[in-house]
Amino acid sequence: MIATIIKQPGETLRPAVAFSDSASIAAIQGVTVAARGLVPGAAALVATAALAGGVVTLALSGGSDGERYAVTVRAQDAQAQTLESEVEVVLIESRWATPDGGAGWLSIAALVKRFTLDEVVRMTDLDGSGRIDRDLLIGALVDAQAIVEAHIASRYALPLATVPRILEMAVGDLARARLYPRGAPEGIADQAKAAMALLVRIQKGEATLGLPAVDAPAEAVSDAPVVIAPGCRAYPDWLKDY
C-alpha cells in the first residue's frame, strides 16, 4: 500500500521512509520524483534522502497546490538486497480566510485528515480533474463557520482567541453536508443535525465551550422614583349582605 503524505506548498517535511523489509538500510541508491500532471505547469517537488541509524528520511520541499507527486526511494539493506518504497505527496494549501479576512477555524488539511482525501476530492471534483476544487470547498467552509459563529456570538466574544475542538468538528460536519447540494446521505446528514443541535444548546447556555463568556447586559435602571398610591377596595362594605 502506498502511503500518502499531505504537504503545504511552502513547508518542508521530513518523513521517515518505510520499506516492506524491516531490515536496517545500509545505503541509499536513489530518489525519483514524478508529478501526476493534475496542475499544468506545476512547480517541481524537491525530494532528497538521508540515512541515519539504518533509517531513511526524506526532505520534501516545493511543489504546487493541487498537484500530486510520486516519490520513489531505492535503497540497499545489509544483505545487499535492493528495496524500493513509494509515497504519494499531495500538495494542499491548507489555510483559508473568511470574506472579512478572519482566520478559518478548520484547515483543509484537518478536514482531509478527518474525512479522507478520497472523499474530499469526490465531494468537490466537479470537472473530473482528480483534485480538490479549492473554491468550492472554501465556500462550504465559510458558510459552515458563519453558521457556527452566529450561534455562539451571544455567548462568546468573536473572534475567538482559541477555537475549541468541538467547534472545529461542527464546522467540518456542516461543511461536509453542504457539499451535497441534492441532500447529504443519511449518516452525513445525521452528523450535521447533531452539530446544529449542539450549537443550539451552546446558544441557550445549556452547553459551554470552556472559554470566557460574554457578560450578559445589565438591565436598565431608571432614576425616576416609584410612587405607590393607595387604592380603593373593590367592595367597600366587604360584601356585608352577600
Side-chain angles (χ1 to χ4, degrees):
M1 182 177 180
I2 299 176
T4 299
I5 297 173
I6 295 175
K7 180 182 121 40
Q8 292 202 85
E11 70 177 341
T12 298
L13 295 182
R14 292 181 171 81
V17 180
F19 292 89
S20 58
D21 191 326
S22 60
S24 178
I25 301 300
I28 298 171
Q29 294 183 329
V31 179
T32 58
V33 179
R36 301 293 192 191
L38 303 180
V39 179
L45 177 73
V46 179
T48 58
L51 176 63
V55 177
V56 177
T57 302
L58 283 173
L60 304 171
S61 61
S64 293
D65 179 41
E67 185 58 278
R68 300 189 185 197
Y69 303 82
V71 179
T72 304
V73 182
R74 290 179 302 282
Q76 190 176 72
D77 64 12
Q79 286 73 43
Q81 294 179 314
T82 298
L83 306 176
E84 187 172 281
S85 179
E86 182 178 333
V87 297
E88 181 178 49
V89 182
V90 181
L91 271 286
I92 296 177
E93 177 51 65
S94 186
R95 293 161 298 202
W96 58 276
T98 59
D100 62 0
W105 287 357
L106 181 68
S107 72
I108 295 176
L111 183 80
V112 167
K113 183 177 181 180
R114 184 174 179 199
F115 299 131
T116 76
L117 178 63
D118 287 344
E119 181 178 350
V120 177
V121 170
R122 185 172 64 252
M123 290 187 298
T124 63
D125 182 19
L126 302 183
D127 60 2
S129 65
R131 58 193 178 97
I132 295 171
D133 184 322
R134 182 175 173 82
D135 291 340
L136 180 62
L137 180 55
I138 291 177
L141 286 167
V142 166
D143 291 347
Q145 184 167 317
I147 292 170
V148 176
E149 288 180 338
H151 279 79
I152 70 169
S154 62
R155 295 284 172 180
Y156 300 95
L158 298 176
L160 298 177
T162 58
V163 181
R165 172 67 174 158
I166 198 167
L167 294 186
E168 292 182 352
M169 293 170 60
V171 170
D173 289 338
L174 295 175
R176 185 189 190 193
R178 293 183 72 83
L179 289 171
Y180 290 87
R182 297 181 181 177
E186 184 176 352
I188 295 173
D190 289 342
Q191 287 182 316
K193 289 176 183 177
M196 286 300 301
L198 173 62
L199 294 175
V200 171
R201 291 184 61 210
I202 294 172
Q203 188 177 44
K204 292 180 178 179
E206 298 173 357
T208 64
L209 298 177
L211 300 174
V214 174
D215 292 332
E219 295 184 3
V221 178
S222 173
D223 294 332
V226 178
V227 178
I228 301 176
C232 299
R233 295 191 184 99
Y235 303 96
D237 57 357
W238 294 96
L239 302 176
K240 179 178 179 181
D241 298 323
Y242 180 73

